Amino acid sequence: EQCSLNRGNEPHTDFIYCCGAITEVLKYGPCQLHSGHKVLFLIIPGNPGVVGFYTTFIKTLHKMFGYRHPVWAVSHAGHCVPPDSMDMVEDASLAVEGDVFGLNGQVEHKLAFLRKHVPRETSLVLVGHSIGCYIILEMMKRDPDLKVLKAIMLFPTIERMAQSPQGKVMTPMLCHMRYVAYLPVFLLSLLPDSLKSSLIKLVLSGIHYLDPTIVQPTVGLLSGDCAANAMYMGGQEMRKVLERDNTAIEKNLEKLIFYYGASDHWCPVQYYQDIKQDFPHGDIKLCKNGFRHAFVLDAGREVAEMVVEWIRGDMSFLFFF
């Protein structure tokens, strides 16, 4: 009952099993949806798909729309630390069969989450970050009847990931040396949380306006299994995110807003220029604010404010806002 009355700007966190794997859902606004909820903002994260990274971003969206619309973020399967009463997987055979921690499995995981937890008549504003944008395009392709009002693609890694400057660095590690990388992660997982927290602050100390809400989710990521699942998914991204899906983009162009970074090593400016050339009538923007690919580290509020501006400027939203 407390949950359904959660209309203020206090977050609520649910841990559920979806496709047999542990999933964390961060919710601002109502915790259960009914047919009276016309719009849901749903954030599909990057990788690692830890919802706690998006706390400031989600809180700002919720506040700027006057607390009227629920804003949720759903983690990737297995990208969270299960509470003591739950395991990483509820049904091991289901998780293995669907390869739920893989890229395709993560797409199916989000569609399954919608089917189970969001009424079919609720309209969606999907907000993807990084690989979350690829997942959104796949969701719209696989379920064309989803009621998507708008899909916001922030720093979209939707093509040629392994060929990007960052991809060239990460591909060998994620695809060929993943098990070697597990060792330091395992060793870090043995440290007490207070020491992990100090290490994280030290590593991120170069970021002047680091969002303090980032630290605790990063501690969780260093639990071992979380990081292993993120690396497994990352290896598949390098192998599978190749050509841009122009058919899916063409079909949904009027619903899509793309936002590319001006110095993004995962999707260089060339990718922005290429998509702009292929879709001259698309809403495709290049960052002028110096936001980094991992914007949640220090610009969650500013990026959320920008997204709200785009949505408020869209005439098709007048009915809802």
Side-chain angles (χ1 to χ4, degrees), residues 53 55-57 207 209-215 296-300:
F53 289 158
T55 301
T56 298
F57 179 75
I207 299 170
Y209 300 104
L210 180 69
D211 186 334
T213 65
I214 290 296
V215 177
V296 293
L297 291 175
D298 57 356

Side-chain angles (χ1 to χ4, degrees), residues 61-225:
L61 282 181
H62 190 229
K63 181 183 178 183
M64 289 192 73
F65 283 119
Y67 311 113
R68 285 192 304 280
H69 304 290
V71 184
W72 293 2
V74 58
S75 79
H76 296 319
H79 290 213
C80 57
V81 182
D84 293 339
S85 59
M86 299 174 85
D87 297 314
M88 185 59 82
V89 291
E90 176 189 37
D91 182 337
S93 60
L94 182 65
V96 170
E97 186 188 338
D99 190 22
V100 70
F101 301 133
L103 186 55
N104 178 64
Q106 296 287 8
V107 176
E108 291 300 328
H109 171 264
K110 305 306 172 289
L111 290 169
F113 172 80
L114 286 175
R115 281 195 296 273
K116 191 164 182 186
H117 299 281
V118 179
R120 201 66 185 169
E121 59 269 28
T122 300
S123 295
L124 300 167
V125 177
L126 299 175
V127 183
H129 174 215
S130 192
I131 196 63
C133 303
Y134 172 90
I135 290 173
I136 286 173
L137 280 179
E138 281 293 315
M139 289 166 69
M140 292 169 84
K141 183 163 82 172
R142 296 180 195 191
D143 189 351
D145 296 329
L146 279 180
K147 287 184 70 177
V148 179
L149 284 175
K150 213 76 186 165
I152 314 285
M153 312 295 231
L154 301 171
F155 306 93
T157 52
I158 55 173
E159 59 175 306
R160 296 176 280 173
M161 279 189 74
Q163 291 173 39
S164 68
Q166 194 69 18
K168 286 174 184 169
V169 173
M170 296 299 287
T171 297
M173 192 183 88
L174 290 171
C175 294
H176 311 301
M177 294 158 55
R178 198 172 79 241
Y179 294 103
V180 178
Y182 285 170
L183 180 60
V185 169
F186 171 70
L187 294 174
L188 281 169
S189 73
L190 303 177
L191 297 175
D193 282 359
S194 57
L195 192 51
K196 283 184 204 160
S197 182
S198 300
L199 274 173
I200 290 158
K201 287 174 186 168
L202 182 66
V203 169
L204 298 176
S205 60
I207 299 170
H208 291 305
Y209 300 104
L210 180 69
D211 186 334
T213 65
I214 290 296
V215 177
Q216 202 45 48
T218 311
V219 170
L221 182 62
L222 294 179
S223 70
D225 288 345

